[in-house]
Amino acid sequence: AKINVPFGTSLTGIAKLPDGSTVDSTDLFAEKTYPWKQWLVIALIVVLGYNYYQGNFDESVPRKLASVNLLGEAASSHAKAAARQRRLEDVELAAKEAAIEAAAAAKASTNAIPTPK
């Protein structure tokens, strides 16, 4: 319904609440908002937290911030890190043993060959 300007002005000038009534500040006809941004942020935090727990970021963060260091044995990647460390130690041990054997073989070969005098 259309209200002309003089009539609207006269209504505005005399506007007052009836006795005993209260003003409800909520707008029942406002556009509805959906919390998709909040759900997106929560989902992103959950995905990042799970990947951190799994140790997927351990190689790209400083050593002090690695999940194995912060979470300790509670980290899922603790078992992976322990196995990786054992493999590294095994490789280093095998390299040392090979170097010792090579040195012993070299020493034995120099002792076995008589040098002309």
Side-chain angles (χ1 to χ4, degrees), residues 13 22-23 26 33-34 40-41 46 61 85 101 103 111 114:
T22 59
V23 176
T26 59
T33 59
Y34 299 100
L40 182 66
V41 168
V46 168
V61 296
Q85 183 65 29
E101 288 176 7
N111 288 343

Side-chain angles (χ1 to χ4, degrees), residues 2-15:
K2 292 186 177 184
I3 299 177
N4 65 15
V5 175
F7 180 62
T9 305
S10 69
L11 289 176
T12 304
I14 60 169

Side-chain angles (χ1 to χ4, degrees), residues 11-78:
L11 289 176
T12 304
I14 60 169
K16 66 175 186 171
L17 289 175
D19 294 334
S21 63
T22 59
V23 176
D24 187 12
S25 62
T26 59
D27 185 2
L28 300 176
F29 301 101
E31 291 184 29
K32 304 291 183 210
T33 59
Y34 299 100
W36 65 271
K37 290 180 184 178
Q38 289 88 353
W39 285 111
L40 182 66
V41 168
I42 290 170
L44 182 66
I45 290 171
V46 168
V47 167
L48 289 174
Y50 179 75
N51 280 306
Y52 179 79
Y53 172 74
Q54 290 295 321
N56 295 336
F57 301 127
D58 285 352
E59 293 179 7
S60 59
V61 296
R63 191 116 176 103
K64 290 180 181 180
L65 297 178
S67 64
V68 175
N69 293 334
L70 289 181
L71 302 176
E73 292 184 12
S76 171
S77 60
H78 179 73

